[in-house]
Amino acid sequence: GDVERFERNGVRFEDGTFAEVDTVILATGYTFNFPYLKPQELLPVKNNQISLYKYVFPPDLDNLAVIGLIQPIGSIAPMAELQARWATRVFAGKTDLPSRDVMVKDIEDMRMAMERRYTASQRHTLQVDFVAYMDQLAHQIGVRPPLKRYFLTDFRFWFRLFVGGNFPYVYRLVGPGAWPGAREAIETAGKRIKGAVKQRECRMRRYKRRGTLDEYLPYASMKWWASWLVVILLTGLWVFCSGPASIPVWHYFGHVLLFFFVIFMFLMYFNLVYDMSTMC
């Protein structure tokens, strides 16, 4: 229950219970400021709110950047790295900031979005979503992965980027600071993650085969699913496309293609997320 009062050697709660305690920690969050800046007006903080473009640049200064002053839903380290990459490019004159009016409007838009999403309090002033914010920073640097191009030229890799983990390597595929090993690091990240937590011999070795078909359906269960789908769809062709109340064949196959696409995406997602190839 809630605290009713503090006594000499403990705490009395509203339900009448008593607990002996030595120390009370008030976990009320934290505040931030910049006491080392002179003058303090360079980065004014009011009610835990600060006006920074993308939580990095003051709109009136282009030679000062704040790194890591965010509360992400996700890891802060990759975000701080992208912030630092952006800031160093701005300082080096390789990337330009937008006009002051554009930055001020963006700050206000993000503040209004925060107010619509969270309860108005000093606790919710720096929240960001991991993928959305990383993409915003990557757009500023020019390192956002070209998903449309991958969709047309390399569907499997696009699918991995679209539904897989948003690793920091994703922002090393193209643009300034691109790394030739980024793609391999993305594709093998699952093995490295599971390698640290899975120390048993995989018993699925005898079920795994390597061939053209196995690149898409590497498990016996997936082949079983695919086989029965073919049987069901051929049966449907006979049932729905024959007799006086039949539907046009092209109409049936249009639905079939859509159905196959959904199942195919599901199977690829299954393979991506539940791949058991580690240590096999």
Side-chain angles (χ1 to χ4, degrees), residues 58-73:
D60 295 316
L61 298 171
D62 61 358
N63 59 350
L64 178 65
V66 180
I67 306 299
L69 188 62
I70 45 177
Q71 290 179 293
I73 302 176

Side-chain angles (χ1 to χ4, degrees), residues 209-231:
R209 301 290 184 270
R210 286 305 173 201
T212 303
L213 179 63
D214 298 298
E215 290 298 320
Y216 295 93
L217 304 174
Y219 303 110
S221 59
M222 296 171 71
K223 294 183 177 67
W224 183 86
W225 266 90
S227 300
W228 273 107
L229 282 174
V230 172
V231 173

Side-chain angles (χ1 to χ4, degrees), residues 101-125:
D101 292 340
V102 171
M103 289 193 285
V104 170
K105 184 179 184 305
D106 184 84
I107 293 170
E108 290 301 320
D109 290 344
M110 295 182 74
R111 186 169 296 165
M112 291 175 62
M114 191 88 64
E115 292 175 356
R116 289 192 298 266
R117 182 173 179 179
Y118 298 101
T119 302
S121 70
Q122 294 188 21
R123 169 70 175 82
H124 304 296
T125 58

Side-chain angles (χ1 to χ4, degrees), residues 144-190:
R144 188 172 179 178
L147 292 180
K148 293 182 180 178
R149 190 181 76 192
Y150 288 129
F151 180 83
L152 297 174
T153 60
D154 194 340
F155 184 79
R156 294 190 66 191
F157 187 60
W158 168 87
F159 189 79
R160 182 176 291 274
L161 292 176
F162 189 71
V163 303
N166 198 55
F167 303 108
Y169 323 114
V170 170
Y171 304 102
R172 294 286 182 176
L173 288 167
V174 296
W179 175 42
R183 174 164 179 157
E184 181 182 359
I186 294 169
E187 293 176 338
T188 58

Side-chain angles (χ1 to χ4, degrees), residues 20-31:
E20 292 187 7
V21 297
D22 299 314
T23 304
V24 176
I25 300 175
L26 302 178
T28 56
Y30 63 90
T31 59

